[in-house]
């Protein structure tokens, strides 16, 4: 845990799941358990259609709201797209950018991801900027180079001040939704590399304060050992975030590791 001031940062990416009633019930269950994990920063990331319902369910609690994507223009003739100001208006504080499913299934590139990161910041949102290598890159020994390239291109043009509001999520593509998690050592190697690149590019303050999440088959059983690693500050949880008990258990396990380190 390198970021000095905050406890574990745990975000639940609900992907394309849950209608209004289920989304609101899940959010309410998490709010009800929040007092047991008060040192964590919790973010719920429902589909666009459930943002309003989840915003209402978490109102007055410390749980924050995030969206899964945004478009880089603020408004106009872009049928089907949702902009940063719209998400801000819907009470989002965070937005995922460049999730591997968007890169793989919807043709997002490092260039479009960069436009979205900049649009999120312009709208007052904190982007949760997702990067990660595919299996062939890992097997080919290209992981660290790929990560460095994604960082350089995705964050191009950002100032030090901008960087203070960016959350980075390292999600090896081969570990997402597969049940196959990176080992704590594999994840830590990449997290340390990311922090090192931030140090080179933006200096010690930015690097030391950056929140770097791990994502890819995080569950209660691996949360503790992953969070024990020095450069892992929290998690971006997919499948396991659809169950309040599992999501809260992940946060509790991370908190246990966090408290042991203090
Ligand atoms: P997973 O998804 O936890 O289901 O592997 C993580 C993510 O895609 O953010």
């Amino acid at each position: 845990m390198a970021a000095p001031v905050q406890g574990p940062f745990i975000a639940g990416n609900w992907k394309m799941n849950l209608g209004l009633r289920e989304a609101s019930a899940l959010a309410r269950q998490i709010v009800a358990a929040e007092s047991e994990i008060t040192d964590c920063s919790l973010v719920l990331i429902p589909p666009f259609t459930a943002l309003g319902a989840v915003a209402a369910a978490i109102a007055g609690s410390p749980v924050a709201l995030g969206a899964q994507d945004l478009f880089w223009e603020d408004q106009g003739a872009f049928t089907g797209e949702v902009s940063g100001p719209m998400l801000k208006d819907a009470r989002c504080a965070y937005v995922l950018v460049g999730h591997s499913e968007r890169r793989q299934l919807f043709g997002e590139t490092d260039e479009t991801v960069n436009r979205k990161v900049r649009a999120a910041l312009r709208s007052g949102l904190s982007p949760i900027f997702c990067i990660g290598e595919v299996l062939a890159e890992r097997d080919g020994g290209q992981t660290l180079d790929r990560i460095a390239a994604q960082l350089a291109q995705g964050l191009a043009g950002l100032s030090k001040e901008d960087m203070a509001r960016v959350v980075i999520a390292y999600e090896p593509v081969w570990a997402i939704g597969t049940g196959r998690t990176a080992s704590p050592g594999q994840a830590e190697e990449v997290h340390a590399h990311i922090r090192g690149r931030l140090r080179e590019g933006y200096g010690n303050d930015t690097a030391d304060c950056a929140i770097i999440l791990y994502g890819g088959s995080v569950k209660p059983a691996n949360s503790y050992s992953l969070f024990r690693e020095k450069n892992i500050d929290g998690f971006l949880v997919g499948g396991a975030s659809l169950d309040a008990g599992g999501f809260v258990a992940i946060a509790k396990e991370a908190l246990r590791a966090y408290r042991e380190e203090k």
Side-chain angles (χ1 to χ4, degrees), residues 13 15 99-101 171 175-179 215-218 236-240:
N13 173 14
K15 308 195 180 185
H99 188 279
S100 71
E101 284 151 19
E171 300 200 299
I176 294 180
T178 57
S217 300
V218 175
L236 179 55
V237 187

Side-chain angles (χ1 to χ4, degrees), residues 4-175:
V5 285
Q6 77 279 312
F9 186 109
I10 316 285
N13 173 14
W14 296 357
K15 308 195 180 185
M16 198 177 75
N17 294 293
L18 308 184
L20 293 186
R21 209 164 336 146
E22 301 105 282
S24 148
L26 178 55
R28 273 189 272 107
Q29 286 169 349
I30 290 165
V31 168
E34 195 276 331
S35 60
E36 301 163 46
I37 42 176
T38 43
D39 284 347
C40 293
S41 299
L42 300 179
V43 184
L44 303 183
I45 311 179
F48 290 131
T49 47
L51 285 172
V54 174
I58 64 177
S61 84
V63 178
L65 187 64
Q68 297 177 15
D69 188 25
L70 82 168
F71 190 54
W72 55 76
E73 296 290 347
D74 288 351
Q75 61 179 52
F78 303 104
T79 302
E81 294 297 323
V82 175
S83 72
M86 291 170 176
L87 296 179
K88 192 73 186 158
D89 210 24
R91 291 184 268 170
C92 289
Y94 296 90
V95 60
L96 295 181
V97 178
H99 188 279
S100 71
E101 284 151 19
R102 304 260 3 134
R103 293 177 189 258
Q104 297 211 300
L105 303 173
F106 303 100
E108 297 206 3
T109 63
D110 288 325
E111 203 258 322
T112 60
V113 168
N114 176 249
R115 294 178 82 164
K116 291 184 175 195
V117 167
R118 288 189 282 128
L121 290 166
R122 191 173 70 230
S123 310
L125 298 160
S126 281
I128 301 178
F129 166 57
C130 305
I131 53 178
E133 81 287 2
V134 298
L135 190 56
E137 288 164 340
R138 173 152 290 267
D139 289 345
Q142 294 151 3
T143 298
L144 299 184
D145 287 346
R146 180 71 193 114
I147 294 297
Q150 286 176 328
L151 282 173
Q153 290 164 38
L155 301 177
L158 267 61
S159 67
K160 223 168 129 64
E161 290 68 37
D162 290 334
M163 284 305 296
R165 293 165 46 214
V166 175
V167 175
I168 295 176
Y170 167 57
E171 300 200 299
V173 177
W174 48 271

Side-chain angles (χ1 to χ4, degrees), residues 236-259:
L236 179 55
V237 187
S241 72
L242 293 171
D243 167 59
F247 186 66
V248 170
I250 287 169
K252 280 187 179 163
E253 284 298 284
L255 206 48
R256 186 160 71 86
Y258 173 72
R259 289 188 173 138

